[in-house]
Amino acid sequence: MSVRRVMGTEVEYGISVQGQPTANPMVASSQVVNAYASATVRARRARWDFEEESPLRDARGFDMSRQIADPSQLTDEDLGLANVILTNGARLYVDHAHPEYSTPEVVSPLDVVRWDKAGEQVMLDAARRAQQLPGNPAIVLYKNNTDNKGASYGAHENYLMRRSTPFADIVRHLTPFFVSRQVFCGAGRVGKGQDGRDHGFQISQRADFFEVEVGLETTLKRPIINTRDEPHADPEKYRRLHVIIGDANLAEVATYLKVGTTSLVLAMIEDQFITRDLAVDTPVAALRAVSHDPSLRQTVTMADGRKLTGIQLQLEFLDLAKKYVEDRYGADADAQTVDVLARWEDVLARLESDPMSLADQLDWVAKLKLIEQYRSRDALAWDDAKLQLIDYQYSDIRPEKGLYHRLVGAGRIQRLLTDDDVEQAMTNPPEQTRAYFRGRCLEKYASDIAAASWDSVIFDLPGRESLQRVPTIDPLRGSKAHVGELIDRCATADELVRALSR
Amino acid sequence: MAQEQKQPRKSEETEETTEVAPESDVAERKEALDDDVDAILDEIDDVLETNAEDFVKSFIQKGGE
């Protein structure tokens, strides 16, 4: 494998109702999701099919009992909260007190960026539509991960992996990678400590919210390696690695490198290519220490006694990845794998020599540069509310107000995609996975679909007593190559289901 | 395959800055950069929420995930 594998992201957006700081965020989130659903989903609205969900399944081989689980972990109970599947194969829903968008399954890092950015536009559109309803106040959404007052919400990544890979190998090799990858994919944060009690800037939004090395929880005692084992695929063949440690990125290069490098490291783990022991002492403390030093000089102690900076630790992984790709593919490596390696190397070199030269590529550097410019012009102390405001407003998803968007507008942030690419991805599914089947079905046969999920589409056909469930258990089947022509050919859902059951 | 690799896109602005500020003339370059900083801060000043303290106080989220 290379950077390519089945993967995706799920992002919870910060939400605020203008002029009503005490407004119920679940109600506001539902208004956002429902406004988008009413405006874009034709005919009946397919509900989410929870049959295959198992949020308490632990990758280490046991189930947590429902009685001892925190209520927030029971994500498979249909609480009647807004929840829709879009024609691009994505899921838009309310999770706890936030609107959330899960990308459809894609197979390349650039496609993760494409459908993740499409999610921002879906959220923007949804919030604007919610505001148009009579009596509704303006709702503003933020692609960030903390309110700097103790609450954090997630930006998760999912990677399909071979079941045969021992979970202990994933923990051993991925932990030091996660401790250090923030040097390029951190989103930057003003404030230190979960509730922001200490002033100053740190690299990551999320680092201070991680308390244990490995575990099943996502809402309390957050672990660096999450063990949720809910593959949404054949469990004999696959596991889905649920990564909860990342920051929500706005910069396209940051998201691209985050998932591209992680996918490559996972490929090396699956192929047992990592023979060096890169374990770090006290990873939870190391994660915070690296985040708390934007000068990037903080070292972590390795199992062999060496002291490495976050950049140096990343250089160890880069070195291995270059050898791995050379060894497995040589000159036949695919273009995105080559590109991810080249950018990874360039970014690490610049972080060593001149980090501020990455203000046009990485979120934390762009944010820090802006903050330093304000501090220098207006002589602001670190506890000045204006600096906190800049942190929040960087992630405001409205193009006219969000500071990330203002920097893009001024040509100060590099992009990998055009606005048109992203707009297409708001409605069109990726072509290489089952998301294609799900999205096309919802686009073409919406009125005959009762429910859908990652692993099925359930049809309610006229004249038939029982529902017809079409399982999509293999993420790589149901692609355009498999079913494109079939869907083009079938004018009705009934024809499609008949053709599929032949 | 290598020729298919995407090169980081240089913004027009970066190129212009390079043209008007040759490395030999450090003072002129610094002035150009200062103007550059002022320009972006002026633009951001225009969109920043007006009462930072109130805004920060009222930005309250519930935990998620």
Side-chain angles (χ1 to χ4, degrees), chain B residues 4-56:
Chain B
E4 283 178 36
Q5 195 183 326
K6 272 186 306 298
Q7 293 301 323
R9 201 181 302 165
K10 268 199 190 132
S11 68
E12 289 171 22
E13 185 203 5
T14 318
E15 282 158 17
E16 277 170 26
T17 311
T18 319
E19 277 167 31
V20 299
E23 295 244 29
S24 53
D25 194 343
V26 177
E28 197 179 310
R29 184 156 174 244
K30 173 140 190 348
E31 204 169 290
L33 283 174
D34 285 348
D35 287 351
D36 209 34
V37 169
D38 290 345
I40 192 69
L41 293 198
D42 284 349
E43 184 180 333
I44 302 253
D45 280 338
D46 287 345
V47 300
L48 266 187
E49 302 289 346
T50 41
N51 191 331
E53 220 149 288
D54 276 2
F55 186 90
V56 169

Side-chain angles (χ1 to χ4, degrees), chain A residues 307-355:
Chain A
K307 289 189 185 301
L308 300 185
T309 64
I311 301 169
Q312 288 165 340
L313 186 44
Q314 279 293 306
L315 286 167
E316 297 268 338
F317 281 100
L318 170 68
D319 180 52
L320 282 166
K322 283 164 67 178
K323 287 181 176 142
Y324 171 74
V325 171
E326 178 58 33
D327 181 68
R328 300 299 150 109
Y329 304 100
D332 295 330
D334 67 283
Q336 272 190 51
T337 299
V338 172
D339 186 46
V340 165
L341 281 174
R343 285 176 181 274
W344 192 7
E345 184 161 23
D346 177 64
V347 161
L348 293 179
R350 284 165 180 266
L351 285 169
E352 283 278 20
S353 62
D354 182 13

Side-chain angles (χ1 to χ4, degrees), chain A residues 2 16 48 87 99 103 166 173 186 215 217 257 270 333 336 348 364 401 406 414 417 459 476-477 489:
Chain A
S2 54
S16 73
W48 187 256
T87 58
T103 67
H173 300 306
E217 284 84 1
L257 278 178
E270 288 175 317
Q336 272 190 51
L348 293 179
W364 77 264
K401 290 292 270 187
R406 300 317 310 151
Q414 288 184 27
L417 301 164
F459 293 90
L476 290 169
R477 292 190 63 84
R489 179 153 45 85

